[in-house]
Amino acid sequence: MAYKAPEGKGYADVAAHFRTLIKSGELAPGDSLPSVAEIRDQFGVAAKTVSRALGVLKSEGLVTSRGALGTIVEKTPMVITGADRLKRMEKNGLRYAPGETSSGHRVMLRSVHDPEVCKALDLEPGDEAVIRIRVFRQDDKPTSVGVSVYPPHTTAVVPELGEDVRMVKQFDKLYTERTGREVVKGQRAAHARQASQDELNALEIDAPPHSAVAVMVTTVTFHDDERALGYWEDVYAPGARVPIGE
C-alpha cells in the first residue's frame, strides 16, 4: 500500500500512524505492514524504534507476527462505530470495515423520557424525537448497537432522518449544506452499565432471566452554534475492543 509517512518521529508516532490506518480500514485484517527496513526509511527512525512501535500494536491486539509474512493486521482488531465512523468516512469514504455489516435497522418517532438524552438535547420528558437503531456485525457476529436520537429542529432540516431507509450521506453534512452552520462533535464519554433485555437480544447474548450483564456504552452529542442537534449512543458487546479518544 502506498502512503506518505511523516519523518523523524518516535515509536509512539509510528504506532499511532499504523493504528490510524487500521481504524480507518485502510489496513484491513490480513494485510501486511511494511517491513522494518521500509518503516525505518519512511519515518527516519532506528530499528529499535520500529520494533518498539510494533510491540505496542501487538500488545493492543491490532497486529501479529506471521513469520515470513511479516507483521499482519489481526482479524477484527477493533469495533469502530459512532463518531469514529464519521471520521473514517471523511477520510476514505468507507462506511464499513472489511467483514462488517449492519442489521436490525429501525427508525421510530417516540416520546423521550431518558434523563440523559433529554438533558443532552434540551428536551422536556415526553417530547418526541426520531430514534434510529441498528446492530453492527463483524463476520455476522453482533459487536454493538448504535442508537441515534434527533430532536424536531434537526429533522425539520434533514427530514431523511425520519425515513425508514439507510442514509446515503451523514446528517451533519446535510445539515451544514442546508443551513450553512457547522456541526461540531462534543466530547465522547464512556461508562459501564447493566444491559437492557432489548440490548441483550440485539447483541444475541443468551443470559439467564434477571441476570446482570455489564456492557460499555459511549455517548456523544452534536451541536451547531445555537443548540444540540443529535445524540449518539453505542452499546458494545462484552469483550469488544473499543478505541477511546478523539
Side-chain angles (χ1 to χ4, degrees), residues 20 33 39 55 59 62-63 78 81 96 105 107 114 128-129 135 144-145 154 172 177 185 192 205 210 226 232 245:
T20 297
L33 269 63
I39 297 174
S59 71
L62 299 178
V63 301
M78 287 185 177
T81 57
Y96 296 111
H105 295 246
V107 179
D114 185 297
E128 289 189 332
V135 180
S144 65
V145 180
T154 303
D172 57 328
E177 289 175 2
K185 174 176 69 68
I205 297 173
H210 310 298
E226 292 186 350
W232 287 11

Side-chain angles (χ1 to χ4, degrees), residues 135-137 141-145 195 197-206 215 235-238:
V135 180
F136 292 96
R137 313 176 73 90
K141 180 180 179 181
T143 56
S144 65
V145 180
Q197 188 59 53
D198 285 343
E199 291 164 347
L200 293 176
N201 293 341
L203 294 171
E204 299 177 7
I205 297 173
D206 186 14
V215 289
V235 181
Y236 301 90

Side-chain angles (χ1 to χ4, degrees), residues 29-223:
D31 284 350
S32 297
L33 269 63
S35 68
V36 171
E38 290 171 332
I39 297 174
R40 285 183 59 192
D41 290 342
Q42 290 165 351
F43 285 86
V45 297
K48 66 178 181 181
T49 301
V50 178
S51 296
R52 191 172 182 186
L54 295 178
V56 169
L57 297 174
K58 290 174 184 176
S59 71
E60 295 175 354
L62 299 178
V63 301
T64 187
S65 295
R66 293 283 179 84
L69 295 176
T71 303
I72 305 297
V73 179
E74 281 276 41
K75 186 176 183 181
T76 319
M78 287 185 177
V79 178
I80 305 293
T81 57
D84 280 337
R85 188 176 299 277
L86 282 179
K87 292 191 294 185
R88 183 170 68 191
M89 289 185 66
E90 289 176 358
K91 185 176 180 63
N92 55 32
L94 296 177
R95 182 181 295 271
Y96 296 111
E100 186 184 37
T101 58
S102 62
S103 63
H105 295 246
R106 288 184 288 161
V107 179
M108 303 168 287
L109 181 64
R110 293 287 187 273
S111 297
V112 178
H113 295 276
D114 185 297
E116 182 174 353
V117 178
C118 288
K119 181 179 179 180
L121 296 178
D122 195 23
L123 296 174
E124 294 294 330
D127 284 353
E128 289 189 332
V130 167
I131 302 174
R132 298 177 66 92
I133 301 174
R134 60 177 165 174
V135 180
F136 292 96
R137 313 176 73 90
Q138 184 70 39
D139 298 327
D140 205 33
K141 180 180 179 181
T143 56
S144 65
V145 180
V147 180
S148 53
V149 185
Y150 302 97
H153 55 261
T154 303
T155 56
V157 176
V158 189
E160 296 94 326
L161 290 168
E163 300 171 1
D164 195 5
V165 295
R166 183 172 297 180
M167 298 284 290
V168 297
K169 198 170 188 178
Q170 292 292 348
F171 95 94
D172 57 328
K173 301 301 181 186
L174 293 172
Y175 186 89
T176 297
E177 289 175 2
R178 295 169 184 176
T179 65
R181 296 175 179 171
E182 180 184 5
V183 178
V184 178
K185 174 176 69 68
Q187 176 63 51
R188 184 167 58 158
H191 64 277
R193 62 163 168 76
Q194 182 176 332
S196 68
Q197 188 59 53
D198 285 343
E199 291 164 347
L200 293 176
N201 293 341
L203 294 171
E204 299 177 7
I205 297 173
D206 186 14
H210 310 298
S211 62
V213 177
V215 289
M216 188 176 79
V217 180
T218 60
T219 61
V220 66
T221 304
F222 295 84
H223 308 258

